[in-house]
Amino acid sequence: MTGPATVFDKPTDYIGKSIPRSDAARLLRGKGRYVDDMQLPRMVHAVFLRSPYAHAKINAIDISQAMKLPGVVAIYTGKDIAQHVEPYVGVLSHLPGLRSPAQYPLAVDVARWQGEPVAVVICASRALGEDALEHIRVDYEKLTAVTDTLNALSPDAPLIHEEYDSNLAWKRQVEVGNLEEALAQDDVVVVEKQIKFGRHTGVTLETRATVCDYIPGDGQLIMYYAGQAPHMLQFILAKHLDMLEENVRVVAHDVGGSFGIKVHTYGDEIATAIVAKLLKRPVKFTADRLESFVTDIHARDHFVDAKIGVKKDGTIVGMGFNDFTGIGPFSMYPRTSAIECNQILNLTGAPYQFEHYHAVGHVVFQNKTLMCQYRAVGHPIAMAISDCMIEEAARVIGMDPVKIRRKNLIPDDAYPTKSTTGMRFDDLSHHACLDKLLEIMDYDALLEDQQNARGNGIYRGIGFVSLVEVTNPSPMFYGVGGAPIASQDGATVRLDAAGALHISSSVTEQGQGTNAILQQIAADVFGVSIERVKVTTGDTATVPYGGGTWASRGAGIGGEAMLLASHALKEQVLDTAAVILQAKPEDLDIAFGEIVNKGSRERKISLGDLAKIVYYRGNELPHDLKPELIATRHYRVTDFPFVFTNGAMAAHVEVDTNTGLIKILHFWAVEDCGRVINPQLVDDQIRGGVVQGIGGALYEECVYDSDGQMQNASMADYLVPMASEMPEITVAHVETYTKTSVLGAKGAGEAGTGGAPAAIMNAVNNALEPLNCGLWQMPMTPERVLKALGKI
Amino acid sequence: MNKTAQIELIVNGEKYFENVPVRMNLADFLRNKLGLTGTHVGCEHGVCGACTIFLDGVTARSCLTLAVQADETEITTIEGYETDKNASDLIKNFHKRNALQCGYCTPGMLASSIEYIEQGNPPDRKKVKEHISGNYCRCTGYQAIVDAICTTIQERQSR
């Protein structure tokens, strides 16, 4: 921990309270500032022609007819765009052996997934641009599409990249102890299952969008984008468009949901920037929903062969698995498409104590949309492998699922400690969370209800998960491997002449309430009314440098930087006040915009009056006193690679054995994210996350045919969670502050999505237990339930 | 395909005379011609509900309605809900209960909520969920939205 230890010595005014987000007021009145809302003078639209084939050679593109159509300003093919960009490669040095070829924004010679852009029409309107697309003639030579992850590795599979000897992008193995030997012992019960996790995607309601503008004279490129990491994109644009970084400005105003979808490098967005630079005028690209389905990154897509060994008393001896995941034809730049598999290898079984572990991960190229990091990267798979196998083992040995967890969860007094795979843990609370979960869900009553219902032919199930979540990452996540992704974030706090605070931060807002908690922290630590704190995020021209929002780091890292900056400004203001008031700084405090006497709370001078003396009447101050009235601090996690959180969740479901429909009756989530800055915002992060997890568990799947054509690329066909199917979700907290910061906050954004699928699969298999069957494939659709029941 | 037509309509109490391409949908008209960008487009085929507005007092998907179909109609969008739909209490409760995160579904969600309340429906969570089940929200998990709607109805009933 670094920084002031005295911040929480006073009763806090804002931290810990459910204060409504100030920026939501504007959104409720239709005054959002989303990218597609922007209209700039002389703005034109980028409309992309996309490959209808999953794998095809591009022999020629004829744009002559399309060029004649009304409104068409220019048309660029993949070859044209390639001349203006340095290609990018999605590998990182800390994932040794990961390979991926150089990628261009638009396909150049070969299109490798359905939806890959091959040309772009620049046009007066989107509608006219779409008209022109129909008149571009592309001579495609269709190639065999490699779609099935397992078949892609067979020796006779066509190669997606001819320069490689196979379609394998990366393989990693983690071995601790000797699993095979341990599982061969006489007193060990071994359970094996194949678990399939479908491919799904983010379906942010606001599709990806960008407006790029180039200012000749300044030589400045401005990208307005719906995204999460402006500084990362600033680096990428500068590097690949051969510009100086300071001449690239990236601005993210309101973002209509991101969830990891909007933190990657997309060729259509890079091409839009290139075209704006070439034409020296603003260019807008807004993906339509079909484009979103086939070009936004997809997620999951895992085939897992898992096994676990337990003793008859429930002690876990070891676990292991073989994971195959399909990532599309390239590893996504710059975060790579191997991180999810890496997380699964690192995190499976992490809440539990056991000795033997053997996990192998295969990351495989295929002709489908690129797969990359999406909310709760790897966690839903890792948690499902361990917790679904543990509950299955408990069923086999006839043990209660809570009891088997009690026996194996890392004790709450064991920290600091390491997981079997070497993950460093501190300040976790698995048992306390499980206690609280059982208390709020009334487990015994549910068990009784389950027995009674079974008597009536109604099959209800209860499923649990104990989870960890990677939050507040240090440079060990990306920076160490050479990615231009900052692990530290900065915060600036400035006192204006009216006594109000202007704060800015490099973490970004996509609706989760980042701006609100930054205001709460600044108001609380510095001592002004929250209404007098104005916040700026998302603009590389005005905010301090930092990583942005991903991996549940906004509150823990961005919040700590804001705390440090607010405290630094407070010290500076008190030093100035002490001179003006001829008092000692340590006898003074700031409360609700006034300098007060620390003991008596007597008001001495308002912040506005103090600031006016500094700004307007500096002649009243001693010559050697030059207050800045502004402070900037940065923060990064130094003590640990990641600050893990933990939690416990439970699902209560009813399986209709006639229709195969699964109804979630209730869901409970207990989360330990350290200090809760705004309980309502955290609870709703958990709820939204759980519902996203429910989507992956029950509904969402990108269905492909063997030609690599996505069959359900519309919101009418791709099922997302809607209100009528969603349960009430009860959320509770255990607060174990992380010792890595003064604030003590860990992340909370991804736990729900990471844990819910395992809890639901467990609940479904608990419901199906008396029917002697189980379901080990997500999404758990009615058809798959009926197949598991042997009814179809 | 570039044929245009003259339309005359009232939006949020203000009269407009506009020349529009006959193929332009109402959502694009409101957003791009009138600058009322509070109406959002999420799927462009009537499924996600983000573009829902009031057309002659009834909710309609503005992405499935052509601008020319709105000739001689009266439209209310999110920019007018506080004043023209007397929904300031609902808006306040959405804010207080955090019934929105990214705000992209909010225009349509408010429209469906106003409709449910105007129809005199009860603060019944199951019925509310069914009524808003044509409005997709990726962020909240819906619980906060149901809370805000039910609270508003209860407050109006106890007035």
Side-chain angles (χ1 to χ4, degrees), chain B residues 45-72:
Chain B
H45 57 263
V47 183
C48 78
C51 70
T52 310
I53 48 109
F54 283 91
L55 193 143
D56 286 337
V58 181
T59 56
R61 299 285 205 243
S62 62
C63 77
L64 293 183
T65 310
L66 292 171
V68 290
Q69 288 176 286
D71 188 26
E72 294 181 359

PDB file of all heavy atoms in Angstrom, chain B residues 45-72:
ATOM      1  N   HIS B  45     -34.408  -3.938 -37.094  1.00  0.00           N
ATOM      2  CA  HIS B  45     -35.502  -4.781 -37.551  1.00  0.00           C
ATOM      3  C   HIS B  45     -36.543  -5.053 -36.474  1.00  0.00           C
ATOM      4  O   HIS B  45     -37.144  -6.114 -36.435  1.00  0.00           O
ATOM      5  CB  HIS B  45     -35.011  -6.055 -38.253  1.00  0.00           C
ATOM      6  CG  HIS B  45     -34.094  -6.919 -37.423  1.00  0.00           C
ATOM      7  ND1 HIS B  45     -32.738  -6.866 -37.533  1.00  0.00           N
ATOM      8  CD2 HIS B  45     -34.348  -7.867 -36.495  1.00  0.00           C
ATOM      9  CE1 HIS B  45     -32.188  -7.744 -36.696  1.00  0.00           C
ATOM     10  NE2 HIS B  45     -33.140  -8.361 -36.060  1.00  0.00           N
ATOM     11  N   GLY B  46     -36.723  -4.068 -35.606  1.00  0.00           N
ATOM     12  CA  GLY B  46     -37.868  -4.119 -34.708  1.00  0.00           C
ATOM     13  C   GLY B  46     -37.766  -5.077 -33.543  1.00  0.00           C
ATOM     14  O   GLY B  46     -38.773  -5.375 -32.907  1.00  0.00           O
ATOM     15  N   VAL B  47     -36.574  -5.565 -33.236  1.00  0.00           N
ATOM     16  CA  VAL B  47     -36.453  -6.578 -32.197  1.00  0.00           C
ATOM     17  C   VAL B  47     -35.967  -6.006 -30.868  1.00  0.00           C
ATOM     18  O   VAL B  47     -36.445  -6.388 -29.806  1.00  0.00           O
ATOM     19  CB  VAL B  47     -35.501  -7.709 -32.653  1.00  0.00           C
ATOM     20  CG1 VAL B  47     -35.422  -8.802 -31.595  1.00  0.00           C
ATOM     21  CG2 VAL B  47     -35.971  -8.294 -33.970  1.00  0.00           C
ATOM     22  N   CYS B  48     -35.038  -5.060 -30.909  1.00  0.00           N
ATOM     23  CA  CYS B  48     -34.382  -4.640 -29.667  1.00  0.00           C
ATOM     24  C   CYS B  48     -35.151  -3.579 -28.898  1.00  0.00           C
ATOM     25  O   CYS B  48     -34.950  -3.419 -27.703  1.00  0.00           O
ATOM     26  CB  CYS B  48     -32.965  -4.151 -29.952  1.00  0.00           C
ATOM     27  SG  CYS B  48     -32.882  -2.478 -30.648  1.00  0.00           S
ATOM     28  N   GLY B  49     -36.022  -2.843 -29.582  1.00  0.00           N
ATOM     29  CA  GLY B  49     -36.877  -1.888 -28.882  1.00  0.00           C
ATOM     30  C   GLY B  49     -36.259  -0.531 -28.590  1.00  0.00           C
ATOM     31  O   GLY B  49     -36.940   0.361 -28.080  1.00  0.00           O
ATOM     32  N   ALA B  50     -34.975  -0.329 -28.901  1.00  0.00           N
ATOM     33  CA  ALA B  50     -34.309   0.935 -28.545  1.00  0.00           C
ATOM     34  C   ALA B  50     -34.955   2.139 -29.232  1.00  0.00           C
ATOM     35  O   ALA B  50     -34.950   3.247 -28.708  1.00  0.00           O
ATOM     36  CB  ALA B  50     -32.826   0.861 -28.909  1.00  0.00           C
ATOM     37  N   CYS B  51     -35.513   1.931 -30.417  1.00  0.00           N
ATOM     38  CA  CYS B  51     -36.019   3.046 -31.223  1.00  0.00           C
ATOM     39  C   CYS B  51     -37.486   3.362 -30.939  1.00  0.00           C
ATOM     40  O   CYS B  51     -38.090   4.164 -31.651  1.00  0.00           O
ATOM     41  CB  CYS B  51     -35.844   2.717 -32.704  1.00  0.00           C
ATOM     42  SG  CYS B  51     -36.964   1.414 -33.234  1.00  0.00           S
ATOM     43  N   THR B  52     -38.061   2.723 -29.910  1.00  0.00           N
ATOM     44  CA  THR B  52     -39.498   2.894 -29.651  1.00  0.00           C
ATOM     45  C   THR B  52     -39.836   4.351 -29.316  1.00  0.00           C
ATOM     46  O   THR B  52     -39.167   4.978 -28.496  1.00  0.00           O
ATOM     47  CB  THR B  52     -39.934   1.967 -28.495  1.00  0.00           C
ATOM     48  OG1 THR B  52     -39.458   0.652 -28.768  1.00  0.00           O
ATOM     49  CG2 THR B  52     -41.452   1.943 -28.352  1.00  0.00           C
ATOM     50  N   ILE B  53     -40.875   4.867 -29.975  1.00  0.00           N
ATOM     51  CA  ILE B  53     -41.356   6.241 -29.744  1.00  0.00           C
ATOM     52  C   ILE B  53     -42.887   6.193 -29.648  1.00  0.00           C
ATOM     53  O   ILE B  53     -43.474   5.122 -29.806  1.00  0.00           O
ATOM     54  CB  ILE B  53     -40.938   7.172 -30.905  1.00  0.00           C
ATOM     55  CG1 ILE B  53     -41.258   6.520 -32.280  1.00  0.00           C
ATOM     56  CG2 ILE B  53     -39.447   7.482 -30.860  1.00  0.00           C
ATOM     57  CD1 ILE B  53     -42.353   7.125 -33.021  1.00  0.00           C
ATOM     58  N   PHE B  54     -43.500   7.307 -29.387  1.00  0.00           N
ATOM     59  CA  PHE B  54     -44.960   7.370 -29.439  1.00  0.00           C
ATOM     60  C   PHE B  54     -45.389   7.998 -30.758  1.00  0.00           C
ATOM     61  O   PHE B  54     -44.919   9.080 -31.121  1.00  0.00           O
ATOM     62  CB  PHE B  54     -45.518   8.182 -28.272  1.00  0.00           C
ATOM     63  CG  PHE B  54     -45.512   7.428 -26.983  1.00  0.00           C
ATOM     64  CD1 PHE B  54     -44.417   7.496 -26.133  1.00  0.00           C
ATOM     65  CD2 PHE B  54     -46.592   6.635 -26.606  1.00  0.00           C
ATOM     66  CE1 PHE B  54     -44.399   6.791 -24.940  1.00  0.00           C
ATOM     67  CE2 PHE B  54     -46.591   5.924 -25.422  1.00  0.00           C
ATOM     68  CZ  PHE B  54     -45.482   6.004 -24.578  1.00  0.00           C
ATOM     69  N   LEU B  55     -46.274   7.321 -31.473  1.00  0.00           N
ATOM     70  CA  LEU B  55     -46.816   7.827 -32.727  1.00  0.00           C
ATOM     71  C   LEU B  55     -48.333   7.897 -32.553  1.00  0.00           C
ATOM     72  O   LEU B  55     -48.967   6.857 -32.320  1.00  0.00           O
ATOM     73  CB  LEU B  55     -46.425   6.886 -33.871  1.00  0.00           C
ATOM     74  CG  LEU B  55     -46.638   7.406 -35.289  1.00  0.00           C
ATOM     75  CD1 LEU B  55     -45.508   6.941 -36.192  1.00  0.00           C
ATOM     76  CD2 LEU B  55     -47.953   6.931 -35.857  1.00  0.00           C
ATOM     77  N   ASP B  56     -48.851   9.093 -32.547  1.00  0.00           N
ATOM     78  CA  ASP B  56     -50.268   9.312 -32.238  1.00  0.00           C
ATOM     79  C   ASP B  56     -50.681   8.598 -30.951  1.00  0.00           C
ATOM     80  O   ASP B  56     -51.717   7.930 -30.878  1.00  0.00           O
ATOM     81  CB  ASP B  56     -51.164   8.886 -33.411  1.00  0.00           C
ATOM     82  CG  ASP B  56     -51.093   9.889 -34.569  1.00  0.00           C
ATOM     83  OD1 ASP B  56     -50.737  11.075 -34.313  1.00  0.00           O
ATOM     84  OD2 ASP B  56     -51.367   9.501 -35.705  1.00  0.00           O
ATOM     85  N   GLY B  57     -49.831   8.707 -29.949  1.00  0.00           N
ATOM     86  CA  GLY B  57     -50.174   8.203 -28.620  1.00  0.00           C
ATOM     87  C   GLY B  57     -49.890   6.738 -28.375  1.00  0.00           C
ATOM     88  O   GLY B  57     -50.055   6.248 -27.259  1.00  0.00           O
ATOM     89  N   VAL B  58     -49.483   6.022 -29.414  1.00  0.00           N
ATOM     90  CA  VAL B  58     -49.244   4.585 -29.273  1.00  0.00           C
ATOM     91  C   VAL B  58     -47.762   4.307 -29.533  1.00  0.00           C
ATOM     92  O   VAL B  58     -47.159   4.934 -30.408  1.00  0.00           O
ATOM     93  CB  VAL B  58     -50.098   3.788 -30.294  1.00  0.00           C
ATOM     94  CG1 VAL B  58     -49.886   2.292 -30.132  1.00  0.00           C
ATOM     95  CG2 VAL B  58     -51.568   4.138 -30.126  1.00  0.00           C
ATOM     96  N   THR B  59     -47.161   3.355 -28.792  1.00  0.00           N
ATOM     97  CA  THR B  59     -45.752   3.072 -29.038  1.00  0.00           C
ATOM     98  C   THR B  59     -45.556   2.431 -30.413  1.00  0.00           C
ATOM     99  O   THR B  59     -46.386   1.649 -30.865  1.00  0.00           O
ATOM    100  CB  THR B  59     -45.156   2.122 -27.972  1.00  0.00           C
ATOM    101  OG1 THR B  59     -45.934   0.931 -27.929  1.00  0.00           O
ATOM    102  CG2 THR B  59     -45.107   2.763 -26.602  1.00  0.00           C
ATOM    103  N   ALA B  60     -44.483   2.820 -31.063  1.00  0.00           N
ATOM    104  CA  ALA B  60     -44.173   2.266 -32.386  1.00  0.00           C
ATOM    105  C   ALA B  60     -42.663   2.148 -32.518  1.00  0.00           C
ATOM    106  O   ALA B  60     -41.902   2.897 -31.894  1.00  0.00           O
ATOM    107  CB  ALA B  60     -44.715   3.191 -33.476  1.00  0.00           C
ATOM    108  N   ARG B  61     -42.220   1.192 -33.319  1.00  0.00           N
ATOM    109  CA  ARG B  61     -40.801   1.038 -33.612  1.00  0.00           C
ATOM    110  C   ARG B  61     -40.446   2.021 -34.729  1.00  0.00           C
ATOM    111  O   ARG B  61     -40.893   1.849 -35.878  1.00  0.00           O
ATOM    112  CB  ARG B  61     -40.500  -0.384 -34.094  1.00  0.00           C
ATOM    113  CG  ARG B  61     -40.826  -1.471 -33.085  1.00  0.00           C
ATOM    114  CD  ARG B  61     -39.784  -1.504 -31.976  1.00  0.00           C
ATOM    115  NE  ARG B  61     -39.679  -2.797 -31.337  1.00  0.00           N
ATOM    116  CZ  ARG B  61     -39.949  -3.034 -30.053  1.00  0.00           C
ATOM    117  NH1 ARG B  61     -40.388  -2.059 -29.265  1.00  0.00           N
ATOM    118  NH2 ARG B  61     -39.790  -4.238 -29.547  1.00  0.00           N
ATOM    119  N   SER B  62     -39.655   3.015 -34.422  1.00  0.00           N
ATOM    120  CA  SER B  62     -39.368   4.015 -35.451  1.00  0.00           C
ATOM    121  C   SER B  62     -38.418   3.480 -36.522  1.00  0.00           C
ATOM    122  O   SER B  62     -38.302   4.061 -37.596  1.00  0.00           O
ATOM    123  CB  SER B  62     -38.812   5.303 -34.823  1.00  0.00           C
ATOM    124  OG  SER B  62     -37.612   5.070 -34.156  1.00  0.00           O
ATOM    125  N   CYS B  63     -37.765   2.327 -36.262  1.00  0.00           N
ATOM    126  CA  CYS B  63     -36.913   1.737 -37.303  1.00  0.00           C
ATOM    127  C   CYS B  63     -37.731   0.960 -38.332  1.00  0.00           C
ATOM    128  O   CYS B  63     -37.256   0.691 -39.425  1.00  0.00           O
ATOM    129  CB  CYS B  63     -35.835   0.837 -36.701  1.00  0.00           C
ATOM    130  SG  CYS B  63     -36.407  -0.785 -36.169  1.00  0.00           S
ATOM    131  N   LEU B  64     -38.960   0.585 -37.945  1.00  0.00           N
ATOM    132  CA  LEU B  64     -39.822  -0.164 -38.873  1.00  0.00           C
ATOM    133  C   LEU B  64     -40.880   0.734 -39.509  1.00  0.00           C
ATOM    134  O   LEU B  64     -41.723   0.259 -40.250  1.00  0.00           O
ATOM    135  CB  LEU B  64     -40.526  -1.318 -38.143  1.00  0.00           C
ATOM    136  CG  LEU B  64     -39.662  -2.458 -37.645  1.00  0.00           C
ATOM    137  CD1 LEU B  64     -40.525  -3.541 -37.011  1.00  0.00           C
ATOM    138  CD2 LEU B  64     -38.830  -3.051 -38.769  1.00  0.00           C
ATOM    139  N   THR B  65     -40.841   2.010 -39.182  1.00  0.00           N
ATOM    140  CA  THR B  65     -41.805   2.961 -39.710  1.00  0.00           C
ATOM    141  C   THR B  65     -41.068   3.868 -40.685  1.00  0.00           C
ATOM    142  O   THR B  65     -39.976   4.347 -40.372  1.00  0.00           O
ATOM    143  CB  THR B  65     -42.380   3.825 -38.567  1.00  0.00           C
ATOM    144  OG1 THR B  65     -42.805   2.957 -37.512  1.00  0.00           O
ATOM    145  CG2 THR B  65     -43.535   4.680 -39.042  1.00  0.00           C
ATOM    146  N   LEU B  66     -41.641   4.077 -41.848  1.00  0.00           N
ATOM    147  CA  LEU B  66     -41.024   5.026 -42.777  1.00  0.00           C
ATOM    148  C   LEU B  66     -41.391   6.445 -42.364  1.00  0.00           C
ATOM    149  O   LEU B  66     -42.489   6.690 -41.845  1.00  0.00           O
ATOM    150  CB  LEU B  66     -41.499   4.747 -44.199  1.00  0.00           C
ATOM    151  CG  LEU B  66     -41.004   3.432 -44.815  1.00  0.00           C
ATOM    152  CD1 LEU B  66     -41.727   3.160 -46.126  1.00  0.00           C
ATOM    153  CD2 LEU B  66     -39.493   3.448 -45.011  1.00  0.00           C
ATOM    154  N   ALA B  67     -40.503   7.360 -42.639  1.00  0.00           N
ATOM    155  CA  ALA B  67     -40.791   8.755 -42.289  1.00  0.00           C
ATOM    156  C   ALA B  67     -42.061   9.225 -42.995  1.00  0.00           C
ATOM    157  O   ALA B  67     -42.880   9.954 -42.413  1.00  0.00           O
ATOM    158  CB  ALA B  67     -39.600   9.639 -42.675  1.00  0.00           C
ATOM    159  N   VAL B  68     -42.263   8.780 -44.233  1.00  0.00           N
ATOM    160  CA  VAL B  68     -43.467   9.230 -44.961  1.00  0.00           C
ATOM    161  C   VAL B  68     -44.747   8.704 -44.316  1.00  0.00           C
ATOM    162  O   VAL B  68     -45.809   9.311 -44.461  1.00  0.00           O
ATOM    163  CB  VAL B  68     -43.429   8.804 -46.459  1.00  0.00           C
ATOM    164  CG1 VAL B  68     -42.355   9.588 -47.210  1.00  0.00           C
ATOM    165  CG2 VAL B  68     -43.226   7.309 -46.626  1.00  0.00           C
ATOM    166  N   GLN B  69     -44.634   7.590 -43.594  1.00  0.00           N
ATOM    167  CA  GLN B  69     -45.826   7.083 -42.891  1.00  0.00           C
ATOM    168  C   GLN B  69     -46.194   7.975 -41.707  1.00  0.00           C
ATOM    169  O   GLN B  69     -47.300   7.869 -41.178  1.00  0.00           O
ATOM    170  CB  GLN B  69     -45.565   5.660 -42.370  1.00  0.00           C
ATOM    171  CG  GLN B  69     -45.509   4.600 -43.444  1.00  0.00           C
ATOM    172  CD  GLN B  69     -45.146   3.245 -42.862  1.00  0.00           C
ATOM    173  OE1 GLN B  69     -43.998   2.992 -42.508  1.00  0.00           O
ATOM    174  NE2 GLN B  69     -46.133   2.377 -42.745  1.00  0.00           N
ATOM    175  N   ALA B  70     -45.248   8.794 -41.281  1.00  0.00           N
ATOM    176  CA  ALA B  70     -45.508   9.663 -40.139  1.00  0.00           C
ATOM    177  C   ALA B  70     -46.100  11.006 -40.564  1.00  0.00           C
ATOM    178  O   ALA B  70     -46.278  11.900 -39.736  1.00  0.00           O
ATOM    179  CB  ALA B  70     -44.220   9.873 -39.352  1.00  0.00           C
ATOM    180  N   ASP B  71     -46.399  11.115 -41.867  1.00  0.00           N
ATOM    181  CA  ASP B  71     -47.034  12.346 -42.356  1.00  0.00           C
ATOM    182  C   ASP B  71     -48.353  12.566 -41.615  1.00  0.00           C
ATOM    183  O   ASP B  71     -49.139  11.633 -41.429  1.00  0.00           O
ATOM    184  CB  ASP B  71     -47.267  12.201 -43.872  1.00  0.00           C
ATOM    185  CG  ASP B  71     -47.740  13.503 -44.493  1.00  0.00           C
ATOM    186  OD1 ASP B  71     -47.428  14.580 -43.926  1.00  0.00           O
ATOM    187  OD2 ASP B  71     -48.423  13.438 -45.533  1.00  0.00           O
ATOM    188  N   GLU B  72     -48.557  13.788 -41.186  1.00  0.00           N
ATOM    189  CA  GLU B  72     -49.788  14.182 -40.477  1.00  0.00           C
ATOM    190  C   GLU B  72     -49.999  13.386 -39.184  1.00  0.00           C
ATOM    191  O   GLU B  72     -51.120  13.014 -38.841  1.00  0.00           O
ATOM    192  CB  GLU B  72     -51.014  14.050 -41.401  1.00  0.00           C
ATOM    193  CG  GLU B  72     -50.951  15.027 -42.559  1.00  0.00           C
ATOM    194  CD  GLU B  72     -52.158  14.940 -43.485  1.00  0.00           C
ATOM    195  OE1 GLU B  72     -53.038  14.104 -43.233  1.00  0.00           O
ATOM    196  OE2 GLU B  72     -52.196  15.724 -44.439  1.00  0.00           O
TER     197      GLU B  72
END
